[in-house]
Amino acid sequence: MCISLSLCPSLTSGSQPFTYHHSTLLSSRSTTSKNYPFLIRSRLSMDSTIPEVAYDYSPFLRIYKDGYIERLRGTDIVPSGLDPKTNVLSKDAVYSPELNLSSRLYRPHNTNPDKKLPVLVYYHGGGFCIETPFNFRYHDHLNNLVAVSNVIAISVDYRLAPEHPLPIAYDDSWTALKWVASHVNGDGPEEWLNSHADFGQVFLAGDSAGANLAHQLAMRYGQENLSGIDLTGVILVHPYFWGKEPIGPEGENLETKSMIDAIWHFVCPTSSGLDDPLINPLVDPRLDSLGCDRLLVIIGGKDFLRERGWHYYERLSKGGWEGVVEIMDGKDDEHVFHLNDPTCENAVALLKRIASFINKDKA
């Protein structure tokens, strides 16, 4: 989650359910639009009364009592193209025509036509309910990440809760991965992947909720596989994992815990609870079937999700999973700090660690 939950009012368990309206969209989901598609309408209803706010999660989103949602963050769109700072080239491509869902692709501009690059499939954070690959924060992050790592990257858009509650985001993300895999024979719809992708070196990555997505896709890959691609590694930055019982210092701030508890029920209302394996991988009996060879967990010392990432690392280290897990502990780092301050020393170090992980076996 990119949401700072300490800033959000808590959801109450006794609240009446909402019907979220889809009829009025700012625009279609085409990435050529100047505005990201989120539910919006005039602040005046038909009878000219001011609509009432049910939940105000400023500066992130507001939910009105009539069911409309107003996203206040992460809705900006920046165009794809050549980034002069990093010399990384990007463009948009539809991965699901049926759902009109797109991804943003990145590659170094001066790539040798005959050179194959590792493939990085990236899932953005935002608590499953805000953000987009096409806004400035994530576009800038992917430009920097591709420049440092020398990869071809696919930054995936997925549908957001609460209009599209989980597990929809998991399904969209899997659809995107299958679209990537459709290029293994060099005859897929996207020429960059046909020409430059090394499907023997595929990595999944994400931050916060996106890290949760990357983990779950690695689990699904371990059970279903995708013909022709080798899931070499997974990179989880400040992963959004949680659980019913507090771990360590989580029990010292029950107010924050109750808000994080509520957010999960908000984005996944059909969940079995906080020990659902979707949010708590530590209780997943299938965890040892994680479908990658290597995994990097990055945690922050001042991140309220830190303990979950650390215990996830320990569980993989000592359990029956046959891969190799590494950890990077940024002791002074807050949740997704690198997106807010990408040029600071620790953010640069984070990118270099990811690049080193991806290129570990190269001279």
Side-chain angles (χ1 to χ4, degrees):
M1 300 180 299
C2 282
I3 297 178
S4 176
L5 294 174
S6 61
L7 300 178
C8 299
S10 70
L11 293 164
T12 58
S13 59
S15 302
Q16 295 298 314
F18 288 99
T19 300
Y20 300 108
H21 301 297
H22 305 265
S23 57
T24 306
L25 294 177
L26 183 61
S27 68
S28 71
R29 235 181 207 275
S30 169
T31 58
T32 59
S33 170
K34 295 298 183 183
N35 296 293
Y36 187 72
F38 60 96
L39 290 172
I40 194 169
R41 48 97 172 94
S42 169
R43 289 182 177 275
L44 297 182
S45 60
M46 294 299 292
D47 62 357
S48 297
T49 59
I50 298 176
E52 292 185 72
V53 174
Y55 299 114
D56 190 341
Y57 301 118
S58 298
F60 306 107
L61 59 79
R62 295 189 188 100
I63 302 175
Y64 293 85
K65 286 188 175 180
D66 61 6
Y68 282 88
I69 300 156
E70 182 181 22
R71 290 189 169 86
L72 307 173
R73 175 173 173 170
T75 61
D76 60 296
I77 295 293
V78 295
S80 59
L82 179 62
D83 178 46
K85 181 182 66 174
T86 59
N87 203 33
V88 168
L89 193 62
S90 61
K91 67 175 178 177
D92 299 333
V94 174
Y95 71 81
S96 176
E98 298 80 11
L99 298 172
N100 197 22
L101 289 171
S102 298
S103 58
R104 179 159 288 186
L105 277 63
Y106 298 81
R107 68 172 177 85
H109 181 43
N110 298 324
T111 303
N112 186 319
D114 300 322
K115 181 177 176 59
K116 298 289 187 178
L117 300 175
V119 178
L120 177 68
V121 184
Y122 193 92
Y123 300 97
H124 70 81
F128 300 105
C129 59
I130 62 170
E131 299 288 0
T132 155
F134 313 113
N135 65 33
F136 175 79
R137 277 159 44 100
Y138 280 103
H139 182 64
D140 185 63
H141 179 54
L142 266 294
N143 278 324
N144 292 329
L145 185 54
V146 169
V148 173
S149 303
N150 196 36
V151 297
I152 183 166
I154 303 95
S155 185
V156 177
D157 191 23
Y158 53 86
R159 288 174 289 173
L160 301 175
E163 309 98 304
H164 304 287
L166 294 176
I168 287 176
Y170 297 115
D171 294 334
D172 290 348
S173 300
W174 182 251
T175 298
L177 189 58
K178 290 195 294 183
W179 176 80
V180 172
S182 73
H183 296 80
V184 295
N185 295 321
D187 56 358
E190 178 44 57
E191 185 55 35
W192 282 12
L193 295 178
N194 290 333
S195 299
H196 300 293
D198 180 356
F199 293 101
Q201 297 184 80
V202 177
F203 295 82
L204 303 181
D207 63 273
S208 197
N212 179 301
L213 286 167
H215 162 78
Q216 292 296 339
L217 292 196
M219 291 294 300
R220 189 165 177 176
Y221 177 87
Q223 296 159 53
E224 298 183 24
N225 244 309
L226 284 176
S227 178
I229 72 170
D230 180 4
L231 183 55
T232 305
V234 175
I235 302 153
L236 307 182
V237 182
H238 305 165
Y240 174 26
F241 299 143
W242 204 238
K244 182 177 180 180
E245 297 301 324
I247 297 177
E250 291 173 359
E252 298 171 5
N253 191 336
L254 295 180
E255 181 179 1
T256 297
K257 185 183 186 310
S258 67
M259 286 188 280
I260 300 176
D261 293 353
I263 286 290
W264 174 249
H265 293 295
F266 172 65
V267 299
C268 192
T270 60
S271 173
S272 60
L274 296 168
D275 283 334
D276 185 330
L278 291 177
I279 189 65
N280 188 359
L282 299 180
V283 301
D284 191 343
R286 306 166 303 152
L287 185 58
D288 292 341
S289 66
L290 191 67
C292 59
D293 301 320
R294 297 189 291 122
L295 192 141
L296 172 63
V297 185
I298 300 177
I299 59 176
K302 296 181 179 179
D303 183 5
F304 49 80
L305 300 177
R306 179 191 184 279
E307 296 301 316
R308 298 290 163 171
W310 178 261
H311 281 76
Y312 175 84
Y313 160 75
E314 286 197 323
R315 168 65 176 78
L316 290 179
S317 299
K318 300 174 182 178
W321 180 58
E322 296 180 354
V324 177
V325 60
E326 304 174 24
I327 193 162
M328 178 182 185
D329 188 354
K331 298 188 182 302
D332 297 321
D333 297 340
E334 297 181 347
H335 193 63
V336 296
F337 75 99
H338 60 292
L339 297 177
N340 300 317
D341 190 5
T343 61
C344 73
E345 181 179 352
N346 286 8
V348 173
L350 184 149
L351 285 183
K352 288 182 177 179
R353 180 63 184 272
I354 293 174
S356 175
F357 178 80
I358 292 173
N359 297 290
K360 183 174 183 178
D361 295 329
K362 298 181 177 63

